[in-house]
Amino acid sequence: MSFDLVLFGGTGDLAWRKLMPALFQSFRHGTLPEGGRIIGVGRDDLSHEQYREQIQSRFNSVEESKRPNAEEFARFAALLEFQRMDLSKPDDYAALKSILETRNADSVVMYVATAPGLFTTVCEQLAAAGLNSDHTRIVLEKPLGHDLASNRAINETVRRCFKEKQVFRIDHYLGKPSVQNLFALRFGNALFEPLWKREHIANIQITIAEDLGVEKRGAFYENTGALRDMVQNHALQLLCAIGMEPPINAHADAIRDEKLKVLRSLKPWTAETLSQHVIRGQYSAGKSSGVSVPGYREELGVNPDSQTETFVALRTEIANWRWAGVPFYIRTGKRLAGRDAHIVVNFHQTPHPIFNAPVGAANRLVINLQPKDGLELHLLAQAQGNRSRSASQSLAPVQLDLDFDKRFGSERVGAYERLLLDVLDGRLNLFVRSDEQEEAWRWVEPIIEHWKNDAAGPRPYGAGTWGPSASSAMIARDGYCWSEES
């Protein structure tokens, strides 16, 4: 199957850091379809060879095991071309069309890795140039909009120019092997599904923690914040995967229909829950991995009086028969105590204890997403080593630990590699539909509006901690604690 992949933003940060390394890994593994061409698009005046040299130099910053040797890169570079374009000029799209028509590939992928403000311009210009035929697919990177209104405006433009089946709204979290295994855990095994409901589950916690600050993205982050950057997309997609009903089959729309039902079932916000169940914070100076680091307001590109949140913790519920009354806690932030993304499913304790057992030490399933990838099942077992009668009635925590990296090793496929291959193959399962996206924006919009009128601003927390103490207080009101505090 021949393909042309046109990468708008071909000299940008995402192309260097993620897309080109993912395409090379697919090329190395032999999974990239043959007969392909990758066309980088940008404003720079580069020849094909100069572009290839730039790509090669950037591979020096990739981890060593994923760097191409000279012979590998020479073969990969044969796929690469560059096209100078001003994305506002119709003539440049006409020139692109002429280039694409020289091959008439079986499929053409337009990957829009540009500033979000250019999404509608690119879509409209592609349609005007006749570059929206049925064999064309368009990939849109987040963020798609700044709020519900801007998201709707983008989606309306995209719908005028492309059919829904041609649109691939990418959320790289859905491409992570660990997230795909979350679907496999639930719907490929009969072990947990009978327990996956309110009668057996006490609460569910979703944590996406980063130990890094905003790095060189201060100006971008200042206009985004943790709620838009992580909660509206990544965290809510994880919540959907945990909370959705089993789909009727593995087709894209069957899966996305069930995720949409979860988003529509989230409890609406009230003035009381917005004040008690949503915590925002902003990191101040502190220590990360033993090194002194500046606070958010001292970062490059950040307003010294910034009110942008770098941390969000919230409590919500899915108002349906399966989950009624079960709290779902979401927590995400930068400059936290570690880089750790996981989901903790806390089961109810035994209704009538007959053993001496530590409270809250077990009866939980931990789904590790990063940097570790796998499952941990925490149980209680007979304490050993003491033959006294009291010891025979005591239990101690134990755990079953499945590390997917150790089990599957080199067979694992990275998130962007998986998603790019799915785009080339036309599989929409791991991509977000427009109504899902709009429903997620609809749910977070009351939080955005509440914060606009909240003079208190984000709560400070020291870099290298787990966020403001109010986050722990919020979950403690229900009688629970975050996983690292248990």
Side-chain angles (χ1 to χ4, degrees), residues 219-383:
F220 163 80
Y221 202 86
E222 184 68 357
N223 293 311
T224 306
L227 183 72
R228 293 179 174 93
D229 191 41
M230 298 298 291
V231 176
Q232 181 272 331
N233 39 70
H234 302 329
L236 285 185
Q237 285 293 320
L238 294 177
L239 186 148
C240 288
I242 284 287
M244 65 189 276
E245 295 297 320
I248 58 172
N249 54 42
H251 294 163
D253 278 333
I255 294 170
R256 299 192 292 186
D257 286 345
E258 297 303 334
K259 289 196 292 176
L260 180 62
K261 290 177 186 177
V262 173
L263 293 168
R264 287 176 172 168
S265 300
L266 290 174
K267 269 197 170 180
W269 296 106
T270 65
E272 181 181 11
T273 57
L274 284 168
S275 61
Q276 293 188 2
H277 295 165
V278 183
I279 308 298
R280 60 171 168 161
Q282 186 187 89
Y283 67 82
S284 55
K287 287 196 172 183
S288 178
S289 301
V291 178
S292 296
V293 293
Y296 175 71
R297 294 180 180 181
E298 287 84 55
E299 299 278 19
L300 183 67
V302 173
N303 184 338
D305 300 316
S306 174
Q307 297 296 297
T308 300
E309 79 286 354
T310 62
F311 175 95
V312 176
L314 59 85
R315 178 196 191 278
T316 188
E317 293 181 24
I318 300 174
N320 62 19
W321 277 37
R322 180 186 288 263
W323 295 113
V326 178
F328 285 72
Y329 304 101
I330 292 173
R331 174 179 58 165
T332 184
K334 290 189 174 294
R335 281 285 184 229
L336 297 180
R339 177 176 178 260
D340 185 18
H342 62 255
I343 300 166
V344 181
V345 181
N346 287 302
F347 293 91
H348 289 299
Q349 301 295 310
T350 53
H352 177 64
I354 61 172
F355 295 101
N356 298 320
V359 177
N363 292 293
R364 69 176 184 238
L365 174 69
V366 180
I367 303 161
N368 290 308
L369 305 176
Q370 69 178 33
K372 189 177 177 181
D373 178 7
L375 302 173
E376 298 172 14
L377 184 60
H378 294 252
L379 306 167
L380 292 171
Q382 180 74 57

